[in-house]
Amino acid sequence: MKKIYALLLALMLASGYLFASGGQDTAAADDQGGEEKVKVGFVYIGPAGDFGWTYAHEQGRLYLEQQLPWVETITVESVPEGDAVRFIDRMVQQQKCDVIFTTSFGYMDDTVQAAAKYPDTTFFHCSGFKRSPNMGTYMGDMYQIYYLNGLISGALTETDKIGYVAAFPIPELFRHMNAFGLGIKEVNPAATVNVKWTYAWYGPDKAREAAEALVSEKCDVLGFTEDTPTVIEVAQEHMEKGDTVYALSHYSPMQAYGEDATITGQLTDWGVIYEQVMKDYKAGKTADLSNYDLLWLMKENAVELGASWDEKINGKYVDALKAKMIDHAEFGNISVYDLVMKRYDQMKQGREVFDPFTGPIYDQNGNMTVAEGEIASIGHLFGEMMYQVDNFATPLPQN
Amino acid sequence: MLEIITSILVRTVVAGTPLLLGTLGEVISERAGILNLGVEGMMSLGAATGFIVTFTTGNPWLGLMAATIAGALISVIHAFVTVSLRANQVVSGLALTMLGLGLSGLWGKPYIGRPLTTKMHAIRIPVLSDIPVIGKVLFYQDPYFYLSVALGILVWFLMKHTKVGITVRSVGENPKAAETLGINVARVKYLCVMAGGAFAGMAGAHLSTAYSKSWIEGMTSGRGWIVIALTIFALWEPSRAFVGAYVFGGIFVIQYVLQPLGISPNLLAMLPYATTLGVLLFYGMSKKGKRRMSAPATLGEPYIRGSR
């Protein structure tokens, strides 16, 4: 018996790797003739069917294949962070990929390592800040959308407690949550942001329990960073029981999961970003990637406000937002709906017109992190932001 | 505060339900001497089947039935390989996990991003559900909770107090002796493995049609493995499966409630596993416990008919 359990334990550990390596070769078989194809590999953090982050990338990959016939792609799903090199090895050596996209922040150091190991392969890492001659970065960042979500959430909350289910304490999360917090503060200075950390990008059960815990603490708007529509479901269930709990969709259009609960959300169109990267590659602009950082924001149409591609704000809540009037420092007496649309238009024109991270910004301890009148630098937002702004009620997570 | 406590208890019971169902199934299977590591796969297949059937028919009860049957059917593979062919149970079980995860991913693909319009709704039991705290926890839950409790009691009764239970246990402890009594060992093993599969399928259907109302690849997220740990935690006793399932469910839930107190989330995430170790240590160190801790004697060993 003891032997069996020892073996069992070993196999259980081993099986984790096996599942992760369930790669998928989606390349077309009949790729002969015509111009030479560029083989592109995608490393995914979760299953392509998560209907969140990885699903959005998968849609982008499909769009890429459709738009650029000279591109053929392969994917590998559910690759653990911190162990991606093995998978990249296989993509380079066996599959002979020319270009590899690593689509999670946690692959950053592995991608750096792989880029040094394979100087003839071109790497692009999503959401990171480290680059090398053959490794560039790209991101469709939604912090501006988060800010708009914050404006809306701050207007709709009745308990003045807004919940957030967060994955990992990294700059990306703090950037998004802080933009959200700043939006909330702008319309409702009394409201607080309450965060629960799940330590998982893909963890529907963890996100569910974290969301339930937030609701039991009287949070009535839920935002989240997790790769499935679980939090939306939780809010919808509470709505159906007669409690008022709103939620914000994340990455993919999740309105169908909560027709009543979803107010709005953040959407990313990775397709246009991938298309641009591959066009740059084809045009030979990627010989030295040390400074290649394709950061697309609202201006470049990479991100959009909404829980579905059809409407920016759930039609059910448009009237409530139009009726909600606030006194705004810049625009005077204005409805929240108009404020959202004004800010939306401003941000569409670019960071210099309006940016949520315009000082003064204070962290939870009262330290000024962005000086009065200044716009936070991209470096600050993407590499240094490891604090929560002053309307967060929960402390930074302990380690 | 009362509200938070109520919420913790309600969530505990919900989180514990699939664990309870799965553990009961694995207890039955292991009691008959067959270790089935395929729980994760059977559960996942149950979740996908349950979802697909509920989605197409609009009836979550049909989904539950289909999931139960799917779980039982896929487990036949394990029974055939380990009982008829007498192959290694560990390898077969792991293969079953991969098969189940793969099949469910394949079949479920068209249903991603399409939530159910009808899910298994909570049943409010009149009068009893008005009792403060307890009412909401025990008498206002989805049908899977009542089902799992009823099945748990049934399995406990069958195992402890009926001839069926003695038959199953004797097959697991000493198949040779059982055979001399005229018991068809292979048939009992087959049926027990299938019962295990049916329970795992039910647990899966709970995840996709009651706990949540969508199919997402990998939504069992390791519960199948927790079930195997829980079976050991329960020392192969259905009654202890209740304790184990709700303790594990509770620990899982409480992690998020305790977070604002500044306790490291990583430490809290470790709790379920630390508890299992603790229980094994506790029983391992006490004399009385040591005897109880022994697994079914022929667990994992193939039985060759008529061998000595």
Side-chain angles (χ1 to χ4, degrees), chain B residues 10 13-15 34 57 69 72 100 111 121 134 141 161 168 212-213 232 244 252 267 280 307:
Chain B
V10 170
V13 166
V14 175
I34 304 283
T57 62
I69 294 167
Y111 298 91
H121 283 289
I134 304 213
Q141 291 285 5
H161 298 286
V168 171
S212 114
K213 53 169 184 172
I232 304 167
F252 184 63
L267 192 78
L280 290 180
S307 69

Side-chain angles (χ1 to χ4, degrees), chain A residues 1 5 8 11-12 18-19 49 51 196-197 199 202 205-206 208-209 212 216 218 233 237 256-257 398, chain B residues 3 7 11 90 94 98 112-113 115 119 211-214 216-218 221 223 256 259-260 262 265 299:
Chain A
M1 256 336 284
Y5 278 107
L8 184 148
L11 283 169
M12 264 161 73
L18 290 174
F19 298 158
F51 207 70
K196 300 271 184 214
W197 298 91
Y199 289 83
Y202 177 80
D205 45 355
K206 292 178 178 170
R208 177 170 293 267
E209 297 312 335
E212 290 283 359
S216 75
K218 302 246 183 267
E233 280 184 9
E237 281 160 24
Y257 286 88
Q398 311 285 312
Chain B
E3 201 161 320
S7 160
R11 300 307 307 164
V90 172
L94 284 174
M98 291 174 212
I112 289 163
K119 70 168 200 167
Y211 186 68
S212 114
K213 53 169 184 172
S214 52
I216 300 160
E217 227 179 303
S221 52
R223 281 192 185 76
Y256 301 100
Q259 247 185 44
L299 180 60

Side-chain angles (χ1 to χ4, degrees), chain B residues 10-303:
Chain B
V10 170
R11 300 307 307 164
T12 296
V13 166
V14 175
T17 298
L19 298 179
L20 176 58
L21 284 168
T23 308
L24 289 171
E26 188 66 10
V27 165
I28 299 174
S29 176
E30 292 195 15
R31 273 290 185 184
I34 304 283
L35 176 72
N36 190 348
L37 297 185
V39 184
E40 181 84 0
M42 301 189 292
M43 223 186 236
S44 182
L45 188 74
T49 318
F51 182 85
I52 294 168
V53 171
T54 311
F55 189 88
T56 28
T57 62
N59 186 338
W61 291 99
L62 285 178
L64 166 61
M65 267 170 59
T68 312
I69 294 167
L73 281 182
I74 195 174
S75 69
V76 172
I77 300 173
H78 186 63
F80 178 71
V81 171
T82 57
V83 180
S84 302
L85 304 182
R86 296 187 285 270
N88 186 311
Q89 298 181 1
V90 172
V91 175
S92 166
L94 284 174
L96 194 68
T97 289
M98 291 174 212
L99 181 69
L101 287 175
L103 276 181
S104 54
L106 188 69
W107 289 339
K109 205 128 223 171
Y111 298 91
I112 289 163
R114 297 166 76 185
L116 293 176
T117 44
T118 50
K119 70 168 200 167
M120 201 65 112
H121 283 289
I123 295 177
R124 184 195 281 270
I125 295 176
V127 188
L128 287 177
S129 62
D130 297 330
I131 306 171
V133 188
I134 304 213
K136 261 199 169 159
V137 177
L138 296 180
F139 303 109
Y140 189 18
Q141 291 285 5
D142 59 71
Y144 279 91
F145 168 66
Y146 306 119
L147 185 74
S148 65
V149 172
L151 284 171
I153 294 169
L154 181 74
V155 171
W156 166 79
F157 183 78
L158 283 176
M159 281 290 179
K160 269 258 144 96
H161 298 286
T162 67
K163 209 182 144 203
V164 179
I166 296 173
T167 310
V168 171
R169 280 187 287 152
S170 58
V171 164
E173 297 294 342
N174 193 340
K176 236 172 278 175
E179 189 142 54
T180 53
L181 289 173
I183 295 169
N184 185 339
V185 173
R187 194 176 68 184
V188 171
K189 288 194 173 204
Y190 259 88
L191 288 175
C192 288
V193 171
M194 284 173 73
F199 273 86
M202 266 185 245
H206 172 261
L207 293 176
S208 63
T209 66
Y211 186 68
S212 114
K213 53 169 184 172
S214 52
W215 161 252
I216 300 160
E217 227 179 303
M219 70 188 301
T220 44
S221 52
R223 281 192 185 76
W225 299 114
I226 291 186
V227 157
I228 289 162
L230 267 178
T231 309
I232 304 167
F233 180 100
L235 307 176
W236 297 270
E237 295 277 357
S239 50
R240 280 167 191 276
F242 278 95
V243 181
Y246 295 135
V247 165
F248 271 54
I251 291 171
F252 184 63
V253 169
I254 212 161
Q255 287 173 34
Y256 301 100
V257 181
L258 292 182
Q259 247 185 44
L261 302 182
I263 303 170
S264 161
N266 299 317
L267 192 78
L268 293 170
M270 204 174 72
L271 276 178
Y273 309 99
T275 320
T276 309
L277 278 178
V279 166
L280 290 180
L281 269 176
F282 178 77
Y283 280 104
M285 301 224 293
S286 74
K287 257 200 177 127
K288 200 177 150 220
K290 218 164 203 163
R291 195 157 38 84
R292 300 192 63 171
M293 213 172 65
S294 56
T298 64
L299 180 60
E301 291 169 20
Y303 173 64

